[in-house]
Structures are given as structure tokens and as C-alpha cells.
């Protein structure tokens, strides 16, 4: 299998991570775990984007140097990823000493291509976005459409420009030739419409101090996005390798998928491929833009005071609960809502009642009717499970995590129904031991496969399921075939799988 590198956004460190950063990281982790499970060499990249005026301002407000501020924020990100059970392979920081040589070399290529030139920059600038806005995009009072509380500043300065306009046709061709370059479809349509309006060159330098010097003019620093996007390439360097483009590109490039939020779609689906074309490099296979999260139906924001604190959420409910909720409840790519009530309902219904109960009741019966050993083989759910496995594989490959959960829940429902319909306790009393064993084997084997299929989303829960089936939790996709449980093996006493969440009034 060809190697797969996938990335989260490189998160901007003006503040500690919020749920909007945790969400794509959970998705990327699930995808990376799936690929590893299939035996595909996988590199999961995350990290932080640490330059720019906004960070300088945030640090100054807190009486820190920008570097001190970045170091502190980065620790916050790393500790949240640990709490959420995120197994990244690379954590790249754009202030890393190995990043500038990559940026310089890339800049040089683009410069030699004739795609960088000095020009006059006039326009409305949102410091929060670190982006010039088109006049037609602005809200009343020159407010940013993404940051309605931020007034955009009028700027008029000499900057270096990147000749984006030169890539208009090539980009349009890319979207045509590779219709899934941007996913989901709605995001692709947005980008295609934006590019059709005509692309303008954009400035890639600023007069701020917190950034890399422009290689050909040290009086300015590089625009934060120009250096941030290149962080994806720096991340691919092996730790022992010298920081050159050739080294960075040799193993993991091109990137399989960039998972990003739709607010930074333009940078990834327009600017980034154009920059790569200019440097003569292959393009990533896909840019996947997820939606925005709301809370109780409202846009989250500090001013409204209704943000979700991911640290508090995971400390209260555990990593699996948080991972499961966001991947099951929201179709990846669409906007979605969080409410604590819904959160509790979903977890209780799916994980405590349906799944947890199925495992508990079937192990309980195995205890009573089968001497706590894996019963002799049955095949009652084998067709349903084969369908689940196929569906789950297809769904992971297209980042349809919700469909994964639905396919798994369908089998869990079938399992509960099988027990309700066939009532093994009656069969046992009637002396139909062989039938009892076949039914219980079928349910336990289905649960083994359910644990495997859910592992990328709920790694600890899946491990618990497997341990209760007396299996070593090493999840490989080659195990996704019926019959892995060996009859006759001892089974441990059943333990509750997922405690019901009781809501405090
Ligand atoms: Zn903005």
C-alpha cells in the first residue's frame, strides 16, 4: 500500500485550543488509526502556526514575548491531544529552527519562477484572519465576515506579491480533472465559484516583526500564511535529516489529505495548490473542509460566553465519549451542533444501552449457560457483519465517520434483536444447548467485529470490548472476518462497558 500522510490544520496559537481545534484533530486521528489498522504506512501530522501580528498582539497583552507565548500555548495543545487520545506522528511548529530553511528554499523556487514581485498593497485587512478582504465581502462598518466584532484596517504599503492570477486556469483545470480534490461537494462549489470571479495576486510580506524575514528583503517578514502552509512540508522531514526540500519530499509527499475547517478553505484549496504549482511540486490528493460547530443552536464565541471547553468536557466524560459524539452526531463536512443534553442522550443510548448492554447480557448468559467459555460456532450475524465491515471500510476512506457509527449500530441492534427474538434462556430450559451456543457465539463474534470497526473512533472502548472477549487489543483490519473468536476459550466475568451518564438537575 502506498504511504499516506494526513494533516490537521496547523493551529494558530493566539489562544489555547478550543473545541473547533479538537474536532478536526479527532477526525484526523480516527482516519490515521484506520489506515494504520489496514497496514498502510501512515504519517499523522499536526502542529501549530506561530507567526503573525495577531500572536504578537496576544503575547504583548499578556506581557510575554511571542516565543514564550507560543511555547505555553503549544503545551496546551499537546496536553489536550494527550487527554483526547490523539496519536500523532509529527507535531510541527513553524517557529522550529528547521522550518526556515525549507521556507527559504521554497521561496527561492517561486521567486526564480518569476512569481514574486514588489507592488503596492491597498485594502481592508482583518488581523484576526491575517487576510486582506475584498470590499464586497465586508459587513457593515467594515467588519470582517468571519469576525463580525473585528473592524478591518485600511492598509496601503509596498509588499511582495505572489502571482496567483497566473494560476487561475491551472486551478480551474485541477478542480475539473480532480473533482474530489476539494471535499465535500458543497465546499468544492464554493471554491470553484470564488475562483471563477477571477483571482488576484496576494501580498506575501508584512511589516511586522514576528515572522521570518523575506529572503530577498529583510525589512519585511513573510506573510504568516505563506510560512504556515509550508509547515506541512517541514513536518515530513525525518528527525535525523538535514532540512532541505529534497529530504522533506522523499518519503511522505504528496500529502493524502489535509483536514481543515471551512474558514481556511481558500488558503488550502486555492493559494496552497497555486504555490505548489509555482514551485513545481505535486499537489495534495485532497483538501477536506469540515463545518462549523454551534452550541445549543448558537454560534460559539467568547463574547457570548458559550464556548465548549474541550478540556472540561474530556475530563468529565472521557476521551471516547467526546470522540464518539462529535464523529457520530455530525456528518463530517457539515455544520453541527453540540448540546450537553444531546451529548448525554447519544452516549447513553448508543454506548451504554445498545452496545454496553449487548455485551453485558450476552457475557452474562455465557457465564450461566456455557460455563464462561466461548461457545461453539454460530453464524447468525455473519452476513450482517460482512456488510458492516465493507461499509465501514468504504466510509472511513471517505471520512464519513457518521456512517461508520451507523453501520456499527445497525449490527448492535441486530444482536439485541437476535437475543430478544430467540430468548436463549428459554432455549436453555428446553435443553436446546447447541442452539443457545450458536446464538451467543454469534453475538460475541459480532461484538468482536464491532470493537474492531469502532477502534479508530473509540480506541479505549474497543480495547475494553476485546479484553472482555479475552482478546489482546491489537486491531488489524485483516481480523475483520467472521470467526476470529476461538470456541472453548475462557471468558472473564462481565464488567460494565460504558457507565450510563446520570444528568445532574
Ligand atoms: Zn476575520
Amino acid at each position: 500500500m502506498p504511504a499516506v500522510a494526513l494533516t490537521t490544520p496547523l493551529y494558530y496559537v493566539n489562544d489555547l485550543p478550543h473545541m473547533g481545534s479538537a474536532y478536526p484533530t479527532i477526525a484526523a486521528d480516527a482516519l490515521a488509526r484506520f489506515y494504520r489498522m489496514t497496514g498502510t504506512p501512515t504519517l499523522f501530522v499536526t502542529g501549530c502556526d506561530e507567526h503573525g501580528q495577531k500572536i504578537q498582539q496576544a503575547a504583548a497583552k499578556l506581557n510575554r514575548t511571542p516565543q514564550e507565548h507560543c511555547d505555553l500555548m503549544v503545551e496546551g495543545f499537546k496536553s489536550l491531544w494527550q487527554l483526547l487520545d490523539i496519536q500523532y506522528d509529527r507535531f510541527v511548529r513553524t517557529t522550529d529552527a528547521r522550518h526556515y530553511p525549507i521556507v527559504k528554499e521554497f521561496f527561492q523556487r517561486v521567486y526564480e519562477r518569476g512569481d514574486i514581485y514588489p507592488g503596492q498593497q491597498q485594502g481592508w485587512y482583518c488581523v484576526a484572519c491575517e487576510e486582506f478582504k475584498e470590499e464586497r465581502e465586508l459587513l457593515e462598518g467594515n467588519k470582517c465576515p468571519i469576525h463580525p466584532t473585528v473592524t478591518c484596517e485600511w492598509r496601503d504599503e509596498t509588499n511582495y506579491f505572489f502571482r496567483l492570477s497566473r494560476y487561475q486556469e491551472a486551478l480551474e483545470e485541477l478542480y475539473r480533472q480532480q473533482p474530489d480534490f476539494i471535499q465535500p461537494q458543497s465546499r468544492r462549489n464554493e471554491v470553484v465559484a470564488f475562483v471563477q470571479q477571477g483571482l488576484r495576486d496576494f501580498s506575501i510580506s508584512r511589516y511586522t516583526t514576528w515572522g521570518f524575514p523575506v529572503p530577498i528583503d529583510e525589512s519585511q517578514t513573510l506573510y504568516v500564511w505563506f510560512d504556515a502552509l509550508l509547515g506541512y512540508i517541514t513536518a515530513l522531514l525525518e528527525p535525523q535529516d538535514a532540512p532541505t526540500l529534497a529530504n522533506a519530499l522523499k518519503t511522505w509527499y504528496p500529502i493524502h489529505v489535509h483536514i481543515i475547517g471551512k474558514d481556511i478553505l481558500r488558503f488550502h484549496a486555492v493559494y496552497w495548490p497555486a504555490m505548489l504549482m509555482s514551485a513545481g511540486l505535486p499537489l495534495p490528493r485532497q483538501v477536506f473542509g469540515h463545518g462549523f460547530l454551534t452550541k445549543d443552536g448558537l454560534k460559539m464565541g467568547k463574547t457570548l460566553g458559550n464556548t465548549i471547553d474541550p478540556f472540561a468536557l474530556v475530563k468529565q466524560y472521557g476521551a471516547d465519549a467526546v470522540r464518539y459524539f462529535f464523529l457520530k452526531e455530525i456528518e463530517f463536512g457539515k455544520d453541527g451542533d453540540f448540546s450537553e443534553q444531546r451529548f448525554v442522550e447519544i452516549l447513553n443510548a448508543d454506548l451504554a444501552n445498545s452496545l454496553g448492554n449487548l455485551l453485558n447480557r450476552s457475557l452474562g448468559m455465557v457465564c450461566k449457560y456455557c460455563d464462561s467459555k466461548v461457545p461453539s460456532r454460530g453464524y447468525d450475524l455473519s452476513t450482517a457483519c460482512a456488510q458492516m465491515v465493507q461499509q465501514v471500510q468504504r466510509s472511513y476512506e471517505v471520512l464519513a465517520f457518521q456512517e461508520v457509527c451507523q453501520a456499527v449500530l445497525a449490527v448492535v441492534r441486530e444482536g439485541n434483536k437476535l437475543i430478544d427474538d430467540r430468548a436463549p434462556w428459554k432455549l436453555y430450559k428446553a435443553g436446546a444447548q447447541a442452539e443457545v451456543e450458536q446464538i451467543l457465539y454469534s453475538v460475541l463474534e459480532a461484538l468482536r467485529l464491532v470493537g474492531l470497526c469502532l477502534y479508530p473512533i473509540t480506541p479505549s472502548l474497543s480495547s475494553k470490548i476485546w479484553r472482555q472477549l479475552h482478546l489482546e487489543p491489537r486491531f488489524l483490519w485483516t481480523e475483520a472476518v467472521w470467526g476470529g473468536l476461538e470456541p472453548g476459550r475462557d471468558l472473564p466475568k462481565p464488567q460494565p462497558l460504558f457507565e450510563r451518564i446520570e444528568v445532574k438537575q
Side-chain angles (χ1 to χ4, degrees):
M1 273 229 199
V4 159
L6 56 102
T7 77
T8 68
L10 302 186
Y11 299 108
Y12 208 50
V13 291
N14 58 310
D15 208 345
L16 285 170
H18 46 79
M19 200 58 227
S21 328
Y23 178 49
T25 311
I26 290 169
D29 186 63
L31 189 62
R33 283 175 189 265
F34 169 73
Y35 278 122
R36 288 188 203 115
M37 192 160 80
T38 63
T40 308
T42 304
L43 189 80
F44 171 15
V45 171
T46 188
C48 286
D49 167 11
E50 307 182 15
H51 286 132
Q53 191 183 347
K54 191 172 163 185
I55 285 167
Q56 209 175 344
Q57 286 174 351
K61 247 190 224 168
L62 295 160
N63 281 319
R64 295 172 185 154
T65 67
Q67 190 64 59
E68 283 167 355
H69 178 74
C70 292
D71 292 348
L72 279 167
M73 295 301 111
V74 161
E75 284 316 304
F77 279 86
K78 286 186 173 171
S79 67
L80 182 61
W81 300 160
Q82 191 172 8
L83 284 173
L84 277 168
D85 224 346
I86 305 293
Q87 286 182 345
Y88 55 82
D89 299 296
R90 298 281 162 78
F91 191 105
V92 66
R93 299 184 55 179
T94 58
T95 53
D96 189 295
R98 287 154 63 82
H99 186 44
Y100 191 45
I102 296 288
V103 171
K104 266 210 301 219
E105 201 182 335
F106 187 93
F107 182 97
Q108 195 59 32
R109 283 197 185 202
V110 175
Y111 183 66
E112 281 166 14
R113 186 70 174 255
D115 284 337
I116 292 173
Y117 66 93
Q120 198 61 17
Q121 172 73 64
Q122 285 186 324
W124 297 99
Y125 195 76
C126 173
V127 173
C129 291
E130 294 280 10
E131 187 183 19
F132 280 98
K133 300 284 165 183
E134 305 283 340
E135 187 136 15
R136 59 181 146 82
E137 294 178 83
L138 298 181
L139 308 178
E140 218 181 290
N142 301 322
K143 301 279 201 250
C144 167
I146 294 171
H147 303 95
T149 58
V150 175
T151 309
C152 296
E153 299 163 11
W154 178 255
R155 297 229 175 136
D156 185 354
E157 58 194 33
T158 308
N159 289 156
Y160 290 93
F161 281 74
F162 172 68
R163 219 179 282 281
L164 181 64
S165 57
R166 189 179 188 180
Y167 296 93
Q168 166 109 23
E169 271 175 41
L171 287 169
E172 285 174 334
E173 185 63 17
L174 164 69
Y175 308 144
R176 262 196 306 274
Q177 293 287 324
Q178 240 174 284
D180 67 346
F181 176 71
I182 305 162
Q183 284 291 302
Q185 187 68 28
S186 57
R187 301 276 122 75
R188 176 177 181 272
N189 297 343
E190 273 169 49
V191 169
V192 168
F194 171 77
V195 172
Q196 264 168 4
Q197 292 175 333
L199 290 175
R200 297 212 310 218
D201 298 347
F202 68 98
S203 78
I204 56 163
S205 66
R206 298 288 185 269
Y207 287 96
T208 51
T209 52
W210 185 238
F212 288 135
V214 173
I216 52 167
D217 177 354
E218 305 226 328
S219 72
Q220 297 191 48
T221 53
L222 279 171
Y223 175 40
V224 55
W225 268 106
F226 191 86
D227 115 50
L229 288 163
L230 290 168
Y232 294 130
I233 290 184
T234 301
L236 307 181
L237 281 169
E238 300 301 327
Q240 71 280 5
D241 280 349
T244 65
L245 267 183
N247 280 339
L249 301 173
K250 70 184 176 189
T251 310
W252 297 102
Y253 197 81
I255 284 160
H256 187 70
V257 57
H258 291 296
I259 295 174
I260 57 156
K262 65 179 179 181
D263 52 330
I264 52 175
L265 186 62
R266 209 174 283 175
F267 295 101
H268 286 81
V270 182
Y271 294 10
W272 181 225
M275 284 163 59
L276 292 169
M277 286 175 192
S278 174
L281 298 181
L283 306 183
R285 192 192 62 96
Q286 188 169 81
V287 173
F288 197 108
H290 68 77
F292 283 152
L293 301 178
T294 54
K295 189 179 177 201
D296 304 313
L298 297 171
K299 190 171 188 271
M300 283 185 277
K302 279 196 180 152
T303 37
L304 273 172
N306 68 337
T307 53
I308 305 167
D309 176 2
F311 290 93
L313 200 63
V314 69
K315 279 178 186 158
Q316 185 170 359
Y317 297 109
D320 279 339
V322 176
R323 296 168 64 106
Y324 182 81
F325 174 81
F326 283 98
L327 295 184
K328 150 81 197 295
E329 175 68 359
I330 303 163
E331 184 182 333
F332 199 61
K334 294 237 168 96
D335 293 345
D337 189 57
F338 172 90
S339 82
E340 195 144 6
Q341 191 192 343
R342 182 85 186 133
F343 180 84
V344 169
E345 276 170 17
I346 294 258
L347 294 169
N348 280 345
D350 295 358
L351 301 187
N353 296 355
S354 302
L355 175 55
N357 194 31
L358 181 62
L359 180 66
N360 212 258
R361 71 200 290 218
S362 49
L363 281 176
M365 283 186 270
V366 166
C367 228
K368 272 197 228 159
Y369 310 141
C370 312
D371 196 20
S372 292
K373 291 188 190 326
V374 175
S376 51
R377 287 184 199 278
Y379 298 90
D380 286 285
L381 297 165
S382 62
T383 310
C385 282
Q387 280 166 359
M388 167 182 73
V389 164
Q390 260 189 10
Q391 177 67 50
V392 162
Q393 174 162 4
R394 273 201 304 270
S395 300
Y396 275 125
E397 283 167 356
V398 295
L399 287 75
F401 305 107
Q402 188 179 51
E403 283 177 17
V404 169
C405 298
Q406 282 162 349
V408 166
L409 286 175
V411 160
V412 169
R413 268 194 303 274
E414 291 259 331
N416 275 313
K417 187 169 179 302
L418 180 69
I419 291 182
D420 294 342
D421 289 353
R422 305 275 294 274
W425 49 94
K426 284 189 194 157
L427 293 168
Y428 179 73
K429 273 192 194 149
Q433 180 67 20
E435 211 178 323
V436 170
E437 298 217 1
Q438 283 161 18
I439 294 166
L440 292 176
Y441 181 92
S442 298
V443 174
L444 293 185
E445 174 60 12
L447 284 163
R448 184 185 70 86
L449 292 166
V450 159
L452 185 75
C453 287
L454 270 186
Y455 163 75
I457 296 174
T458 54
S460 306
L461 192 83
S462 290
S463 301
K464 267 170 123 178
I465 295 174
W466 273 41
R467 284 203 194 89
Q468 294 216 27
L469 298 173
H470 204 174
L471 297 167
E472 201 44 45
R474 276 193 301 266
F475 298 99
L476 296 171
W477 201 243
T478 47
E479 305 254 334
V481 281
W482 188 264
L485 271 183
E486 286 298 326
R489 293 194 59 183
D490 287 328
L491 289 171
K493 259 184 87 146
Q495 309 273 337
L497 180 67
F498 187 91
E499 299 279 359
R500 254 190 85 80
I501 303 166
E502 301 301 337
V503 189
K504 311 178 286 282
Q505 289 306 318

